[in-house]
Amino acid sequence: MTRLTFIAFDGTRFEVDAENGSTVMENAIRNGVPGIEAECGGACACATCHVYVDEEWTDAVGGPEVMEEDMLDFAYDVRPNSRLSCQIRVSDELDGLVVQVPERQA
Amino acid sequence: MAETARTDVLIIGAGPVGLFAVFELGLLDLKCHLLDILDRPGGQCAELYPEKPIYDIPAWPVISGQELVDRLMEQIRPFGAEFTFNRMVSGLERLDDGSFRVTTDEDEHFEAKVVVIAAGGGSFQPKRPPIPGIEAFEGTGVHYSVRRMEDFRGEDLVIVGGGDSALDWTLNLAPVARSLTLIHRRPEFRAAPDSVKKMFALRDAGKIDFAVGQVGALRGEKGQLEAAILKTPDGEREIASTRLLPFFGLTMKLGPIADWGINLHENLIPVDTEKFESSEPGIFAIGDINHYPGKLKLILSGFHEAALTAQAAKRIVHPDEKVVFQYTTSSTKLQKKLGVA
Ligand SMILES: Cc1cc2nc3c(=O)[nH]c(=O)nc-3n(C[C@H](O)[C@H](O)[C@H](O)COP(=O)(O)OP(=O)(O)OC[C@H]3O[C@@H](n4cnc5c(N)ncnc54)[C@H](O)[C@@H]3O)c2cc1C
Ligand code: FES
């Protein structure tokens, strides 16, 4: 099990245990983290699962692939540490990962 | 104004389910006319995920969204359905003789004895970019489509986005606008490489500006747009703008369906599971738009619904004809309709 922390826009922290191989988005939805909508169910087709990866973790998480970059064009207030959480897969290396939920999804 | 077009069955929505309904209705000799706000068939499959693989279409271990649409178009070709694209269906009313009249946002009329609503998650409409206060300028300074190029003549135009629409309109409107700035979050584009090349050529010739960043706010008074505030990692700056055209893709909205006097349940149309008929006799709802106990929003479920709706539609359009159950494998009659016998 890998520990993930979501920080909602109002500052509320959600610490959850995530299964390796699942996506960060799936864990947000399963645990009712507010502000993650995931309209397309993880197909990288809606940009409503946008998160900011905590600066400490950007290297471990890595950057988006081309398709995700394209979808990020539709997100709100995109920053260098923006990712679509359905495209981040949970693994041992991400134990302790912290992501922030933006003010709103597009 | 165009005269009223008549057909047997009007299908609202040309997504995969509306398309397959043409096949099932066609086998029963019913002619169809489909209407969609998109400019091409395929609904979500074509608009949201044309290149993504689908794994749960029976007998297709894997097929992309666009390929599924192409195959459906091929499969329904023998039935000569008519299509009207780029139209929002705005009105649906019952006439005195029990048939229906459908009206579009271009004020065209269509009449049929049966209406099949295959509207999926609703009509595709432009996404409103999350710029605070943008609503106040909509229609006066902010537009989501270009109906007449002349409306932009002599204006300070800002176009936002990195897809084909943003690039195409940048190229088309550059000669008429007083000034034109294209704004995109990054220097890479999701558009035809040729358009991107032409855009950079215009920029190098000093005809337009291209700025990397995001629009953070708008400035203006009483709906009169004056400037867009560009946010970049290095700070903010103002770009003079009397017209803003954001192209942020499409999203699905239920739209006018709510005004048609049909019972709705959480934006879906409740139906029975024998005919998939709505609360209004003669109006059927199939695919993602309907709701019944156990409903799954899957393409294959929509296909099944189309087959059963077709049987019920047949009884309404040709009440005196007996419907005999037949297989396409063995019925020469069906094969003639398909053009293979
Ligand atoms: C990313 C993604 C992946 C998916 N993967 C799968 C999968 O693997 N397997 C699967 O079975 N399903 C999948 N789906 C779901 C599948 O795409 C839908 O079930 C299917 O598209 C529904 O088809 P439909 O014809 O009912 O509606 P839609 O495809 O939504 O088409 C409805 C059409 O109606 C039009 N319309 C609506 N209202 C109006 C109006 N008033 N006037 C004019 N036009 C109107 C819309 O513009 C649209 O084109 C996926 C969906 C998404 C978003
Ligand atoms: S859930 Fe739609 S892009 Fe991630």
Side-chain angles (χ1 to χ4, degrees):
Chain A
M1 281 292 178
T2 300
R3 197 96 174 134
L4 303 181
T5 301
F6 295 91
I7 305 179
F9 185 69
D10 68 2
T12 316
R13 292 173 78 92
F14 293 77
E15 299 196 4
V16 312
D17 286 320
E19 222 167 281
N20 285 347
S22 64
T23 67
V24 170
M25 177 279 280
E26 286 165 343
N27 290 284
I29 295 294
R30 214 170 286 147
N31 293 282
V33 176
I36 301 284
E37 293 166 13
E39 268 172 27
C40 78
C44 198
C46 72
T48 62
C49 62
H50 176 206
V51 295
Y52 302 121
V53 174
D54 189 272
E55 304 289 347
E56 306 241 312
W57 286 92
T58 45
D59 285 346
V61 172
E65 307 255 319
V66 179
M67 184 170 73
E68 185 184 337
E69 259 309 345
D70 285 350
M71 266 335 284
L72 274 169
D73 288 342
F74 298 131
Y76 172 60
D77 197 7
V78 179
R79 302 179 190 163
N81 57 338
S82 284
R83 287 291 312 264
L84 295 177
S85 57
C86 69
Q87 302 301 306
I88 308 175
R89 238 170 240 294
V90 174
S91 64
D92 285 337
E93 291 79 70
L94 298 187
D95 192 23
L97 173 68
V98 179
V99 301
Q100 279 132 22
V101 180
E103 181 178 356
R104 54 176 152 168
Q105 300 289 346
Chain B
M1 199 183 74
E3 55 192 276
T4 301
R6 285 193 176 74
T7 185
D8 292 330
V9 180
L10 280 165
I11 303 178
I12 302 172
V17 177
L19 293 180
F20 192 65
V22 171
F23 184 86
E24 291 293 337
L25 290 158
L27 285 182
L28 300 173
D29 300 313
L30 300 182
K31 285 261 168 260
C32 303
H33 194 127
L34 296 91
L35 296 145
D36 204 301
I37 194 169
L38 291 181
D39 59 3
R40 59 193 189 286
Q44 295 174 45
C45 301
E47 180 59 35
L48 297 180
Y49 59 105
E51 281 152 27
K52 295 213 170 88
I54 311 174
Y55 299 101
D56 58 353
I57 303 298
W60 285 96
V62 54
I63 185 166
S64 75
Q66 187 56 50
E67 202 185 348
L68 178 76
V69 175
D70 294 344
R71 298 276 171 182
L72 283 166
M73 289 302 284
E74 184 186 332
Q75 191 169 24
I76 67 176
R77 192 178 308 129
F79 301 111
E82 303 212 37
F83 289 87
T84 301
F85 291 115
N86 297 307
R87 296 295 193 289
M88 163 88 94
V89 174
S90 48
L92 168 59
E93 56 183 324
R94 192 188 289 274
L95 302 172
D96 289 340
D97 67 357
S99 64
F100 299 95
R101 170 183 290 170
V102 157
T103 310
T104 69
D105 56 353
E106 299 273 334
D107 213 21
E108 297 139 313
H109 301 288
F110 300 85
E111 288 179 16
K113 284 200 171 139
V114 169
V115 171
V116 173
I117 303 180
S123 51
F124 277 100
Q125 291 171 37
K127 256 191 205 165
R128 168 186 286 161
I131 303 170
I134 189 168
E135 294 90 335
F137 297 103
E138 282 171 1
T140 49
V142 173
H143 305 269
Y144 296 103
S145 63
V146 179
R147 293 238 156 164
R148 280 167 16 107
M149 299 233 295
E150 276 308 303
D151 297 344
F152 296 87
R153 181 171 296 279
E155 303 286 347
D156 291 315
L157 185 57
V158 169
I159 296 182
V160 196
D164 281 309
S165 309
L167 268 292
D168 290 349
W169 284 118
T170 298
L171 301 180
N172 288 328
L173 291 169
V176 301
R178 186 165 80 147
S179 72
L180 193 157
T181 309
L182 174 67
I183 298 182
H184 183 40
R185 181 175 75 81
R186 56 198 172 110
E188 290 89 42
F189 293 86
R190 257 170 310 113
D194 185 53
S195 316
V196 178
K197 230 163 85 192
K198 286 192 180 133
M199 185 280 291
F200 278 118
L202 282 180
R203 191 225 15 209
D204 294 342
K207 299 249 160 64
I208 64 163
D209 257 333
F210 168 55
V212 175
Q214 297 171 73
V215 176
L218 299 176
R219 187 170 63 71
E221 259 172 62
K222 300 203 185 85
Q224 292 308 308
L225 186 63
E226 287 162 25
I229 317 297
L230 176 77
K231 268 175 63 179
T232 69
D234 316 320
E236 294 190 354
R237 73 178 163 98
E238 269 198 20
I239 296 178
S241 169
T242 54
R243 294 280 185 278
L244 184 89
L245 277 168
F247 292 108
F248 278 74
L250 303 177
T251 181
M252 297 192 99
K253 295 231 179 77
L254 181 65
I257 296 175
D259 311 327
W260 297 344
I262 306 168
N263 284 350
L264 292 182
H265 168 77
E266 290 176 358
N267 282 349
L268 299 170
I269 303 177
V271 290
D272 64 74
T273 49
E274 179 197 342
K275 306 188 290 265
F276 302 95
E277 198 165 30
S278 72
S279 61
E280 286 296 311
I283 302 181
F284 299 83
I286 56 177
D288 279 13
I289 190 74
N290 75 13
H291 179 76
Y292 52 84
K295 167 73 182 180
L296 290 178
K297 286 191 188 183
L298 286 179
I299 296 164
L300 94 102
S301 309
F303 288 172
H304 159 79
E305 294 159 16
L308 266 57
T309 282
Q311 298 287 323
K314 173 75 175 177
R315 289 193 285 274
I316 294 176
V317 181
H318 301 142
D320 304 328
E321 274 180 45
K322 208 166 155 255
V323 185
V324 191
F325 178 78
Q326 302 172 84
Y327 289 122
T328 52
T329 322
S330 43
S331 157
T332 8
K333 251 190 169 163
L334 294 187
Q335 289 170 359
K336 279 215 178 94
K337 296 176 196 177
L338 291 166
V340 291

